[in-house]
Structures are given as structure tokens and as C-alpha cells.
Amino acid sequence: MEHPPEETLRRFVSGTARRQESKAVVAHLLKGCADCSRKLKSLIESEPVAGGAYDEALGRFDRGLLELLESSIDPAHTLRNFLGKVLPPRRPEKGNGEDC
């Protein structure tokens, strides 16, 4: 029994296989190939994610959401916050006593 190449199985799992490839994979599986069934199962199953992998990203999201909620209470603060991020820092104007 000739097995489909692993790359074909990968395309089959991801949904990018051509129609003819998909038909060939299904026909092969219907013949009862346990090896290819195991390969497909391992390709479908996701890798386990380490315990704290998302903690930093979720923390940034939480802080950003909290800042957004807090700034939505005070529109002036929201505007200052936004402008502070998009505009360059202000330089002191000459002649106002700050350059002495």
C-alpha cells in the first residue's frame, strides 16, 4: 500500500490540498491505513502550551483595557493621552523665560 506523502497529509489537514489530493487521502484512509490515521491525528492535535506562555500578553491586554476604561471617564485625559502618543514632545518656546 502506497502512503500519501506527509506534505500531502499536511495540506489535507490544513484544508489547502487540491481536490484530487483530498480524494486520494480519503480513499487511502477508507482502506484502513492505521499509520496514516495516526499521522493525521498527530497533525491535527495542537502542541501543548506551556503554563505561563500567555501571561505577559494577557497582562498587557489587561493594563491597556484598564487604561482605556479609566481614560473614557475623563475625555480630557483621553485626548492628552492620545496626543501624547502621536505628537512629538513639546519644546519650550523662546522668549518665555524658560531658556535662561
Side-chain angles (χ1 to χ4, degrees), residues 17-92:
R18 294 186 315 265
R19 184 174 178 85
Q20 194 59 32
E21 284 180 318
S22 294
K23 288 170 101 177
V25 170
V26 170
H28 181 74
L29 293 171
L30 288 174
K31 290 178 185 173
C33 182
D35 290 337
C36 287
S37 292
R38 278 192 293 278
K39 282 182 188 176
L40 281 175
K41 183 178 180 196
S42 71
L43 291 171
I44 291 171
E45 292 176 344
S46 63
E47 295 291 322
V49 178
Y54 295 112
D55 289 346
E56 183 181 339
L58 291 173
R60 285 193 312 266
F61 175 79
D62 290 345
R63 286 188 299 279
L65 181 60
L66 185 59
E67 287 174 9
L68 179 65
L69 290 173
E70 288 173 346
S71 67
S72 69
I73 295 168
D74 179 4
H77 176 72
T78 302
L79 184 59
R80 280 193 306 273
N81 191 21
F82 173 74
L83 292 176
K85 291 178 181 177
V86 296
L87 296 177
R90 289 182 52 191
R91 294 184 189 169

